[in-house]
């Protein structure tokens, strides 16, 4: 009789322990819910909205000023002969140097992540990024600012071509979006008035924009490799990633080295410095351009850290719209006619639809989860 009673007691004790563990797990799960709810609470939501407003405002105004100052550097005429500054690599050399210093100061002030950073991969991506900017800036000598902005808004074209070549499949809607964007650019360029000066868009300038888009695609590929390399080098760190200041410092350092070599090889270093000595206003314009770039980059990395690339894409696309329209109103020679406004509308309507579609798909995924 003793054994059955003992066995029953052990069974009851085991059941009580199991119920206790279940209650503990349930309490732990419920305890974790307030933390999740708290992140979406009123006070936390307001903080998130404030951060988004800061990011939007910062990128919008910093890069709008950056775009205008970029145009001032290359389009302003100096002296009685109306000379223009044409030393693209010197401008990029100054801009990359300033951004590298600011990134390094940020690392020193706020500390590093402490992970194994794939420095070589980041440096290489910085080189391709510099080349993308160089060809884009050089294009301003041969095309209008509005044409350059519209052309750079077509990054999805080389991305889609690369994806198809790699075996990736896209939905029909995305092919239609690319078609509309391309049509918009064609309408914009075909709708121009007859040339009135030598400043009209040239085939060489459009070719530079194409090279810039290609370099942008290469940069995106390299940046994906940086993320993969970071995770591979830090297998014990969950979601390993570099800090905003680490990425900023090493990326711009790579671009600085490439700009220095190219600037020296092309003779732009010596000639560009001599130009700024003759016309100090050009040097001031370059300095303002570099400083506005720093502010813009800080807000870009802040947005990526606090939100995601989709939010960043939305903000920068809106900024491009503003920059194009503002340039048209700011300088009469960049004024757009009705046909060009139609082409501009097609481009940004397609981009806007793409972003809206991504938001809707994301919302459906959240509801399913």
């Amino acid at each position: 009789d003793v054994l059955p009673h003992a066995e029953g007691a052990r069974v009851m004790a085991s059941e009580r322990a199991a119920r206790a563990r279940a209650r503990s797990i349930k309490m732990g799960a419920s305890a974790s819910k307030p933390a999740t709810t708290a992140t979406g609470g009123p006070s936390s939501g307001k903080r998130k909205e404030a951060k988004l407003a800061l990011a939007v405002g910062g990128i919008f105004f910093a890069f709008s000023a950056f775009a205008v100052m970029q145009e001032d550097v290359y389009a302003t005429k100096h002296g009685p002969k109306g000379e223009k500054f044409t030393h693209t690599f010197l401008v990029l050399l100054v801009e990359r140097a300033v951004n590298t210093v600011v990134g390094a100061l940020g690392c020193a002030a706020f500390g590093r992540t402490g992970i194994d950073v794939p420095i070589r991969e980041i440096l290489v991506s910085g080189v391709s990024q510099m080349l993308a900017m160089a060809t884009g800036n050089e294009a301003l000598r041969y095309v209008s600012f509005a044409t350059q902005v519209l052309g750079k808004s077509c990054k999805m074209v080389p991305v889609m071509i690369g994806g198809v070549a790699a075996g990736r499949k896209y939905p029909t809607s995305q092919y239609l979006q690319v078609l509309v964007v391309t049509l918009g650019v064609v309408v914009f360029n075909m709708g121009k008035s007859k040339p009135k000066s030598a400043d009209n868009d040239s085939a060489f300038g459009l070719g530079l924009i194409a090279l810039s888009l290609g370099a942008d695609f290469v940069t995106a590929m390299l940046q994906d490799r940086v993320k993969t390399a970071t995770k591979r080098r830090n297998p014990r760190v969950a979601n390993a990633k570099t800090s905003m200041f680490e990425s900023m410092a090493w990326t711009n350092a790579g671009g600085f080295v490439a700009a220095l070599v190219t600037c020296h090889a092309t003779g732009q270093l010596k000639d560009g410095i001599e130009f700024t000595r003759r016309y100090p206003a050009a040097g001031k314009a370059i300095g303002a351009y570099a400083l506005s770039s720093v502010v813009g980059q800080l807000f870009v990395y802040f947005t990526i850290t606090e939100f995601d690339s989709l939010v960043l894409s939305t903000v920068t696309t809106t900024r491009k719209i503003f920059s194009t329209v503002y340039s048209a109103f700011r300088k009469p020679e960049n004024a757009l006619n009705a046909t060009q406004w139609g082409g501009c509308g097609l481009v940004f309507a397609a981009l806007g639809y793409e972003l809206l579609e991504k938001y809707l798909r994301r919302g459906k995924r959240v509801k399913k989860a």
Side-chain angles (χ1 to χ4, degrees):
D1 292 340
V2 175
L3 291 175
H5 285 294
E7 185 65 26
R10 283 195 296 271
V11 172
M12 292 178 64
S14 178
E15 291 177 351
R16 284 196 298 270
R19 286 195 294 269
R21 285 195 298 271
R23 285 195 299 270
S24 177
I25 293 173
K26 186 175 180 180
M27 290 177 64
S30 62
S32 65
K33 288 182 180 179
T36 303
T37 306
T39 59
S43 58
S44 178
K46 290 181 179 179
R47 287 196 298 271
K48 204 75 172 177
E49 290 175 0
K51 289 181 179 180
L52 181 59
L54 176 64
V56 171
I59 291 177
F60 192 83
F61 290 106
F63 274 96
S64 292
F66 171 79
V68 171
M69 291 176 184
Q70 180 187 49
E71 189 178 11
D72 287 341
V73 169
Y74 297 105
T76 302
K77 296 180 180 180
H78 303 275
K81 296 182 180 179
E83 297 180 72
K84 291 184 179 182
F85 188 86
T86 59
H87 311 289
T88 304
F89 293 111
L90 177 61
V91 176
L92 289 174
L93 180 67
V94 175
E95 187 252 342
R96 294 289 143 171
V98 173
N99 278 288
T100 301
V101 171
V102 172
L105 291 175
C107 290
F110 300 99
R112 298 181 179 180
T113 56
I115 64 174
D116 186 5
V117 178
I119 297 176
R120 185 182 65 179
E121 287 84 350
I122 299 177
L123 289 173
V124 173
S125 71
V127 172
S128 64
Q129 188 183 80
M130 189 283 297
L131 293 176
M133 289 193 65
T135 50
N137 291 351
E138 189 75 7
L140 279 175
R141 295 172 53 192
Y142 306 96
V143 300
S144 68
F145 173 71
T147 299
Q148 188 224 34
V149 171
L150 275 172
K152 293 290 285 183
S153 297
C154 301
K155 288 185 180 181
M156 64 177 70
V157 176
V159 170
M160 177 167 280
I161 293 174
V164 172
R168 186 175 177 180
K169 295 182 179 180
Y170 294 96
T172 305
S173 60
Q174 284 193 286
Y175 285 104
L176 291 175
Q177 288 162 16
V178 172
L179 177 63
V180 173
V181 168
T182 305
L183 178 63
V185 174
V186 172
V187 170
F188 177 82
N189 285 288
M190 295 296 291
K192 293 180 180 179
S193 302
K194 293 182 179 180
K196 295 181 180 180
S197 67
D199 293 330
N200 289 277
D201 296 351
S202 68
F204 181 71
L206 296 176
L208 288 174
I209 293 178
L211 288 176
S212 182
L213 290 172
D216 280 327
F217 176 56
V218 173
T219 301
M221 296 283 288
L222 292 173
Q223 287 174 342
D224 285 338
R225 291 185 180 181
V226 168
K227 294 179 180 179
T228 303
T230 303
K231 293 180 180 179
R232 185 179 64 250
R233 288 172 176 239
N234 303 273
R236 297 182 180 180
V237 180
N239 298 321
K241 61 180 179 179
T242 57
S243 70
M244 56 179 285
F245 288 109
E246 286 174 331
S247 297
M248 182 177 181
W250 290 115
T251 300
N252 284 284
F256 172 79
V257 173
L260 180 61
V261 172
T262 309
C263 197
H264 180 72
T266 58
Q268 291 191 19
L269 182 62
K270 180 181 178 181
D271 295 341
I273 292 176
E274 179 62 29
F275 189 96
T276 57
R277 286 177 178 173
R278 292 201 312 270
Y279 306 109
K284 292 180 180 179
I286 294 172
Y289 169 88
L291 290 175
S292 65
S293 171
V294 168
V295 177
Q297 282 202 26
L298 288 173
F299 281 110
V300 163
Y301 286 111
F302 172 79
T303 305
I304 293 175
T305 302
E306 294 294 334
F307 301 97
D308 54 39
S309 58
L310 179 59
V311 174
L312 177 63
S313 179
T314 304
V315 177
T316 54
T317 299
T318 305
R319 193 271 307 170
K320 288 175 183 177
I321 296 173
F322 176 80
S323 297
T324 304
V325 176
Y326 182 65
S327 175
F329 283 110
R330 181 171 175 264
K331 289 192 174 184
E333 61 267 27
N334 288 339
L336 308 180
N337 57 36
T339 304
Q340 288 179 291
W341 278 115
C344 187
L346 284 173
V347 170
F348 292 119
L351 294 175
Y353 176 77
E354 180 197 18
L355 296 175
L356 177 62
E357 189 179 39
K358 286 183 178 180
Y359 273 124
L360 294 176
R361 286 202 304 266
R362 186 179 181 185
K364 290 180 179 179
R365 287 197 297 268
V366 171
K367 289 180 180 180
K368 290 180 179 179

